[in-house]
Amino acid sequence: PVTVTSSEMTRFMMSLRQAVNLIFTATNMMEGGEVFVFKMRSVKIDNLARALIKDYSEHTPLAKAVTIKYTKPRPGEKFHEELLSVQERERVVETRDLLILLPLLNPPYQKLPHSLESKAKRINYEEYISHNCVMSPEELNRFIKDNNLGCQEL
């Protein structure tokens, strides 16, 4: 069986291409101390397991018998990821694809770094938690297909 902690557990997810673009964009924009967060969607781990089992079973007959076993969370394991907290909201600026947390140790953080002046705008972001932006099962299937994350035919 595939082990899943909870049907409600969520995690953020990005493709390899998105991760590489984040690195190049952050390297180009950084001035020092900023935290760059890609505006990504999240998935329910249960939906991800079901989608991958379904994809795999289309290529391997034995996978049709795969089941999901639910377990209890491990000590300290969180049900949802939090990438930006309420306490950080006054230091967040955004671009089309990024949330950028300005450094606390570089007062006054109210002023945007030079490299961000034309690219980012100040916002009052509440929090960025994975249960607030979950992909539907259909969106997840499209994400898996578009990013070649499923079973590849041999």
Side-chain angles (χ1 to χ4, degrees):
V2 173
T3 304
V4 173
T5 304
S6 166
S7 62
E8 295 303 310
M9 186 171 280
T10 60
R11 291 293 180 263
F12 285 107
M13 191 167 172
M14 73 170 77
S15 69
L16 179 59
R17 181 180 59 240
Q18 291 167 329
V20 170
N21 285 339
L22 173 60
I23 292 168
F24 286 128
T25 301
T27 301
N28 185 43
M29 294 174 74
M30 70 181 191
E31 291 201 6
E34 304 89 357
V35 176
F36 293 83
V37 178
F38 179 66
K39 291 181 185 175
M40 64 192 125
R41 302 285 302 278
S42 62
V43 297
K44 285 188 175 184
I45 297 301
D46 184 62
N47 289 349
L48 179 61
R50 290 178 187 283
L52 292 175
I53 290 169
K54 180 177 182 274
D55 181 74
Y56 191 68
S57 68
E58 291 172 0
H59 300 284
T60 307
L62 294 176
K64 292 185 189 322
V66 174
T67 59
I68 296 177
K69 177 184 175 188
Y70 295 96
T71 63
K72 294 181 179 179
R74 296 181 191 98
E77 189 174 16
K78 295 182 177 185
F79 272 79
H80 309 290
E81 289 182 295
E82 181 178 4
L83 295 184
L84 291 174
S85 69
V86 171
Q87 295 81 7
E88 297 167 324
R89 70 178 170 207
E90 293 180 3
R91 297 185 292 126
V92 176
V93 296
E94 74 172 336
T95 66
R96 185 181 60 125
D97 297 324
L98 299 173
L99 296 172
I100 304 164
L101 179 63
L102 300 176
L104 181 61
L105 300 176
N106 191 12
Y109 56 78
Q110 290 81 16
K111 185 173 190 250
L112 289 176
H114 177 69
S115 65
L116 298 177
E117 285 176 353
S118 65
K119 300 174 186 168
K121 64 179 179 179
R122 185 165 295 282
I123 59 168
N124 191 1
Y125 212 81
E126 286 301 318
E127 54 193 355
Y128 194 42
I129 299 177
S130 58
H131 68 83
N132 291 339
C133 51
V134 177
M135 288 185 221
S136 70
E138 295 77 22
E139 291 171 314
L140 176 57
N141 287 331
R142 192 168 38 256
F143 183 87
I144 289 169
K145 183 179 178 184
D146 291 349
N147 292 287
N148 298 317
L149 300 177
C151 182
Q152 305 297 317
E153 290 193 51
L154 300 176

